[in-house]
Amino acid sequence: MAKKMLEVNGLTTKYVTRFREDVYAVDHVSLSIEEGKSLGIAGESGCGKSTLALSLMGYYFAPLHYMSGDIIVDGKNISGLDPDVVRKTVLGSDVAYIPQAAMNALNPTRRIITFIEDVIRAHDPKANKKDIREMAEKRFEEVHLPKDALDKYAVELSGGMKQRVVIAISTILSPKVLIADEPSSALDVTSQKVVIKMLRDMMEKGFIRSMIFITHELPLLYNVTDDIMVMYAGQIVERGSASEMVFDPVHPYSRGLMHSILVPEDGTRDNKLTAIPGTPPNLKKPPQGCRFAERCKYAQPSCRYNAMPLVEFAPGRAYRCSFSVEQLKEVYKSED
């Protein structure tokens, strides 16, 4: 049996506004990733994907607050730890993070090598410059960057190079879990392919032992991850293998996401894009029942009052809906 690199049970985190209002952006989320595997998380903007990414690092600063749940990395529970402990013992080595808009994450007044020195010395204060330089040059070679880029400033690098620099910095300590928050969203198609291939190669070589890849483009995950989870309004509404989630989604929201994006494998001539009507609910006052009910064309009156748990209906597959899988597929079949 494969070893679990990350196991999350009932994680709940919230934002507290300046008016002391609670916004539960991550609501009782559970997931797990085995060594050598990758998990994709998809959903529209504002569903909680990036907040979940920040929460999984166990590093909380206002206005984000940890509420409950366990985050277990390679057998070690990191939830509720002091931020200084997390920074010195967890970030970079256990869990690493590629931020959204990574190309703008580098301080333009510092040379690239100084960022790597900071990461390594946070875990090993006695590390000398020569050893750090050797580690950095080796990792830059892996991500196809010239060694002299270490002595440059961010403004001297192209967008694709800056993205690879951030990847090199994030993986310099070979993390057990790498969280990539939309790492290819600001890149052209060619650069996207380079970044995705690079991450997959690093997984195969063991520089990354497991990965979470976050995006709003569900089909993209088919070529990147082993499994996919779909988030909506702070909750997981469906999970399954990449192929199942792309070609046979069950939950109405997952199906809506797929129909809002063209999938090359399906062709484009007979496929029309359709939008999901309405907007996500206000998480200051989340709905009593299903959070997707107001936007779901299949919703019944009871859906607005009865909240459903995430239920497993097949090995590795689960969904959150009051309709049975058979009922939903029958409805979908009649529409297709």
Side-chain angles (χ1 to χ4, degrees):
M1 185 176 178
K3 183 178 182 181
K4 285 186 179 179
M5 281 292 99
L6 175 66
E7 187 171 6
V8 180
N9 298 308
L11 179 62
T12 298
T13 63
K14 69 176 182 180
Y15 290 105
V16 179
T17 72
R18 61 194 180 95
F19 301 109
R20 297 297 178 184
E21 297 169 307
D22 293 336
V23 181
Y24 287 90
V26 175
D27 191 358
H28 291 87
V29 169
S30 297
L31 59 89
S32 64
I33 310 174
E34 295 179 346
E35 186 171 12
K37 298 292 184 180
S38 56
L39 171 68
I41 300 177
E44 62 193 309
S45 297
C47 72
K49 305 185 303 295
S50 293
T51 302
L52 176 59
L54 295 172
S55 300
L56 290 176
M57 294 189 293
Y59 200 53
Y60 301 95
F61 285 98
L64 180 61
H65 298 267
Y66 165 79
M67 295 304 295
S68 62
D70 295 317
I71 307 168
I72 302 169
V73 182
D74 196 20
K76 179 172 67 177
N77 196 330
I78 66 170
S79 52
L81 293 178
D82 182 271
D84 283 341
V85 174
V86 174
R87 184 174 60 83
K88 294 177 181 178
T89 65
V90 175
L91 298 184
S93 57
D94 287 341
V95 183
Y97 178 59
I98 299 175
Q100 205 171 35
M103 290 185 292
N104 299 320
L106 300 169
N107 186 329
T109 66
R110 302 181 66 192
R111 297 183 189 276
I112 301 302
I113 186 63
T114 63
F115 296 107
I116 297 176
E117 290 173 349
D118 288 347
V119 172
I120 294 176
R121 284 179 176 155
H123 293 265
D124 183 8
K126 296 182 180 179
N128 61 63
K129 284 196 172 187
K130 181 182 178 183
D131 292 340
I132 292 174
R133 183 86 188 190
E134 289 178 357
M135 287 179 65
E137 288 180 352
K138 187 174 181 180
R139 185 50 47 93
F140 267 42
E141 184 179 344
E142 293 291 342
V143 298
H144 311 295
L145 283 169
K147 295 178 182 179
D148 63 1
L150 285 166
D151 300 307
K152 294 182 180 294
Y153 295 95
V155 294
E156 299 178 88
L157 306 176
S158 68
M161 290 179 73
K162 282 190 278 190
Q163 185 70 292
R164 280 178 279 161
V165 164
V166 172
I167 291 173
I169 294 170
S170 299
T171 62
I172 193 69
L173 296 177
S174 299
K176 295 168 184 174
V177 182
L178 176 68
I179 302 171
D181 191 356
E182 302 204 38
S184 60
S185 60
L187 302 175
D188 58 71
V189 175
T190 302
S191 297
Q192 283 184 355
K193 289 182 178 179
V194 170
V195 168
I196 290 171
K197 184 179 185 303
M198 185 183 306
L199 291 172
R200 293 180 67 178
D201 288 345
M202 295 181 86
M203 282 277 292
E204 291 176 4
K205 294 176 181 178
F207 298 138
I208 306 167
R209 295 175 66 183
S210 64
M211 179 174 67
I212 293 177
F213 193 103
I214 296 173
T215 181
H216 61 276
E217 298 181 53
L218 201 157
L220 174 66
L221 297 174
Y222 175 69
N223 297 308
V224 182
T225 63
D226 300 295
D227 300 296
I228 297 174
M229 295 195 323
V230 172
M231 278 192 83
Y232 182 76
Q235 297 180 331
I236 303 301
V237 296
E238 187 175 357
R239 72 165 187 256
S241 70
S243 60
E244 289 169 335
M245 293 297 293
V246 170
F247 298 110
D248 189 26
V250 169
H251 194 280
Y253 178 64
S254 303
R255 184 176 169 84
L257 281 183
M258 281 305 307
H259 282 184
S260 66
I261 302 173
L262 289 175
V263 182
E265 289 84 353
D266 286 344
T268 59
R269 179 173 298 177
D270 300 319
N271 289 287
K272 295 182 179 180
L273 294 177
T274 57
I276 301 174
T279 57
N282 184 345
L283 292 183
K284 294 177 185 177
K285 295 180 179 179
Q288 179 180 340
C290 173
R291 296 186 177 183
F292 187 59
E294 290 297 327
R295 305 175 69 188
C296 180
K297 63 181 179 180
Y298 313 111
Q300 301 297 312
S302 60
C303 295
R304 292 172 170 79
Y305 303 100
N306 299 326
M308 296 299 296
L310 192 67
V311 178
E312 188 168 294
F313 64 89
R317 294 216 68 184
Y319 78 133
R320 187 189 299 271
C321 186
S322 60
F323 291 96
S324 69
V325 174
E326 291 73 21
Q327 287 175 319
L328 289 170
K329 288 193 173 183
E330 194 64 33
V331 173
Y332 300 155
K333 185 178 179 181
S334 66
E335 293 180 340
D336 294 339

